[in-house]
């Protein structure tokens, strides 16, 4: 854990998250998730967190470790077909992590998720946050549609609205 990372996390404020993800952007992201989920039986959640604070920050919790915590806390693993997917953005680190339940993860694997994360991060480096998130949702949706195609029933098991922590 470096001082540069701690400093970065201490200076990223909630207003910076609101600036990059104002309510209209969050609404569009939620609508994109809803539209995407119409083509498959999977579940996608998007969570953005400005920065770590307190114990997680000072013990050096990684974005991946935090994403796993969030995946569990939001019960994304609790889907009928084990096909829930979390897109987690830790803004202070500009790090995207995708955590997928075992059903879809067995089909895509770490390399597939990593490819999507890197493409999203490339968008973020150009300050194209909404576009990066939409890209990620659509890329994940393609995998879910391939491996868990829709069956005509609307079984939305998890909320589609983005979460800001």
């Amino acid at each position: 854990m470096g001082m540069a990372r701690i400093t970065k996390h201490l200076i990223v404020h909630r207003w910076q998250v609101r600036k990059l993800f104002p309510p209209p952007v969050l609404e569009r992201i939620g609508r994109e998730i809803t539209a995407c989920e119409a083509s498959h039986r999977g579940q996608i959640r998007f969570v953005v967190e400005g920065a770590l604070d307190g114990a997680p920050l000072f013990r050096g919790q990684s974005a991946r470790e935090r994403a796993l915590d969030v995946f569990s806390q939001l019960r994304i693993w609790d889907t009928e077909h084990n096909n829930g997917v979390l897109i987690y953005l830790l803004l202070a680190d500009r790090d995207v992590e995708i955590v997928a339940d075992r059903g879809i993860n067995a089909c895509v694997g770490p390399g597939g998720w990593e490819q999507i994360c890197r493409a999203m991060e490339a968008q973020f480096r150009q300050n194209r946050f909404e576009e990066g998130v939409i890209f990620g949702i659509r890329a994940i949706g393609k995998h879910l549609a391939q491996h868990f195609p829709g069956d005509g029933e609307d079984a939305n098991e998890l909320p589609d609205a983005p979460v800001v922590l």
Side-chain angles (χ1 to χ4, degrees), residues 20 27-28 31 44 52 66 71 82-83 90 92 95 107 115 118-119 125 134 136 143 150 158-159:
L20 297 173
E27 289 171 19
R28 287 192 293 272
R31 284 195 304 270
I44 300 172
L52 299 176
R66 178 65 176 146
F71 183 85
N82 300 311
N83 58 6
L90 183 55
D95 190 357
C107 301
Q115 206 171 29
R118 298 302 76 87
R125 282 192 295 277
I134 299 293
H143 287 296
L158 299 173

Side-chain angles (χ1 to χ4, degrees), residues 107-141:
C107 301
V108 178
W113 303 127
E114 188 65 22
Q115 206 171 29
I116 296 169
C117 289
R118 298 302 76 87
M120 292 175 69
E121 290 168 354
Q123 293 277 333
F124 298 161
R125 282 192 295 277
Q126 298 173 18
N127 288 321
R128 297 170 45 95
F129 288 89
E130 181 178 356
E131 295 88 343
V133 173
I134 299 293
F135 169 85
I137 291 166
R138 290 177 179 168
I140 291 166

Side-chain angles (χ1 to χ4, degrees), residues 10-163:
L10 293 175
I11 63 172
V12 171
H13 297 284
R14 197 157 179 86
W15 66 265
Q16 291 168 304
V17 175
R18 285 192 306 265
K19 179 182 173 197
L20 297 173
F21 293 97
V25 169
L26 293 173
E27 289 171 19
R28 287 192 293 272
I29 290 170
R31 284 195 304 270
E32 186 65 35
I33 292 171
T34 301
C36 177
E37 287 182 356
S39 68
H40 55 74
R41 292 175 290 146
Q43 299 294 302
I44 300 172
R45 297 293 319 258
F46 171 68
V47 174
V48 58
E49 185 164 26
L52 299 176
D53 59 8
L57 175 60
F58 291 105
R59 77 169 183 266
Q61 184 177 44
S62 69
R64 182 71 183 173
E65 292 166 336
R66 178 65 176 146
L68 290 167
D69 286 348
V70 171
F71 183 85
S72 177
Q73 290 169 9
L74 295 179
R75 300 177 60 97
I76 297 170
W77 50 267
D78 194 18
T79 60
E80 182 179 356
H81 302 289
N82 300 311
N83 58 6
V85 181
L86 168 67
I87 303 170
Y88 173 79
L89 169 59
L90 183 55
L91 195 57
D93 290 345
R94 300 277 173 117
D95 190 357
V96 176
E97 295 291 335
I98 294 175
V99 179
D101 203 350
R102 64 188 176 275
I104 186 62
N105 196 51
C107 301
V108 178
W113 303 127
E114 188 65 22
Q115 206 171 29
I116 296 169
C117 289
R118 298 302 76 87
M120 292 175 69
E121 290 168 354
Q123 293 277 333
F124 298 161
R125 282 192 295 277
Q126 298 173 18
N127 288 321
R128 297 170 45 95
F129 288 89
E130 181 178 356
E131 295 88 343
V133 173
I134 299 293
F135 169 85
I137 291 166
R138 290 177 179 168
I140 291 166
K142 287 178 185 175
H143 287 296
L144 287 165
Q146 177 184 355
H147 301 290
F148 294 91
D151 58 7
E153 292 184 27
D154 182 18
N156 197 15
E157 298 177 72
L158 299 173
D160 297 339
V163 175

